[in-house]
């Protein structure tokens, strides 16, 4: 019933924040400014990065959390806060439309990865996941890709 990160997870969250701070700018609107330090040979761009919170199937209702959905969203939000506390620049990243790149979402108990009902299974379902949504390629990019595939087939 807690949204706070386990103390032993904090060093891992700092490592994750460092990795995201190194890589995400290469796939965001700041990619041009970071071109010299980026390894993005295909020019891929991110539309969004979601920090997704999940819970087990045990119903919760407390003064702070009305249900599992609230708890999962709070977990995602707390994770975002920990990442940004380590690397504040992460909060300022934008996609190519100028929208904030990183967001949070909560799924409660609706996306379990373990349906066994065991204590270990319940623990596995209490988690945070990151979802990376790539931008759709533009028509010229898709056309060039199709032309390249067709040329390779002709060879």
């Amino acid at each position: 019933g807690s949204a706070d990160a386990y103390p032993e997870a904090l060093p891992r969250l700092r490592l994750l924040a460092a990795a995201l701070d190194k890589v995400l700018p290469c796939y965001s609107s700041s990619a041009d400014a970071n071109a010299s330090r980026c390894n993005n040979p295909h020019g891929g761009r991110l539309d969004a990065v979601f920090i997704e919170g999940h819970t087990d199937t045990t119903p919760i209702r407390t003064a702070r959390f009305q249900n599992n959905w609230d708890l999962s969203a709070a977990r995602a939000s707390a994770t975002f806060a920990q990442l940004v506390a380590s690397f504040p620049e992460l909060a300022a990243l934008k996609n190519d439309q100028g929208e904030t790149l990183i967001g949070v979402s909560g799924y409660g108990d609706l996306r379990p990865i373990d349906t066994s009902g065991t204590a270990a299974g319940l623990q596995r379902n209490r988690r945070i996941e990151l979802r990376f949504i790539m931008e759709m390629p533009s028509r010229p990019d898709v056309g060039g890709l199709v032309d390249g595939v067709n040329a390779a087939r002709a060879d």
Side-chain angles (χ1 to χ4, degrees), residues 83-122:
L83 296 174
V84 170
S86 295
F87 287 87
E89 301 82 14
L90 291 171
L93 292 174
K94 307 282 186 200
N95 64 18
D96 286 349
Q97 289 74 46
E99 302 163 333
T100 300
L101 186 64
I102 302 176
V104 298
S105 54
Y107 291 100
D109 60 346
L110 301 176
R111 292 187 177 190
I113 55 173
D114 189 321
T115 58
S116 68
T118 64
L122 294 174

Side-chain angles (χ1 to χ4, degrees), residues 42-47 96-97 134-147:
H42 300 290
R45 307 296 267 192
L46 283 166
D47 182 57
D96 286 349
Q97 289 74 46
M134 300 301 292
E135 274 192 4
M136 291 290 293
S138 67
R139 288 217 180 265
D141 291 341
V142 172
L145 180 61
V146 170
D147 292 342

Side-chain angles (χ1 to χ4, degrees), residues 2-5 13 16 49-55 64-65 68-84 102-108 126-131:
S2 173
D4 301 324
L13 285 173
L16 175 61
V49 176
F50 292 117
I51 301 171
E52 300 177 338
H54 301 269
T55 69
R64 183 172 176 201
F65 307 116
N68 288 43
W69 204 299
D70 287 348
L71 174 57
S72 66
R75 284 182 177 161
S77 184
T79 301
F80 175 76
Q82 287 291 329
L83 296 174
V84 170
I102 302 176
V104 298
S105 54
Y107 291 100
R126 296 187 293 264
R127 68 193 190 281
I128 294 292
E129 295 180 337
L130 298 181
R131 184 178 306 266

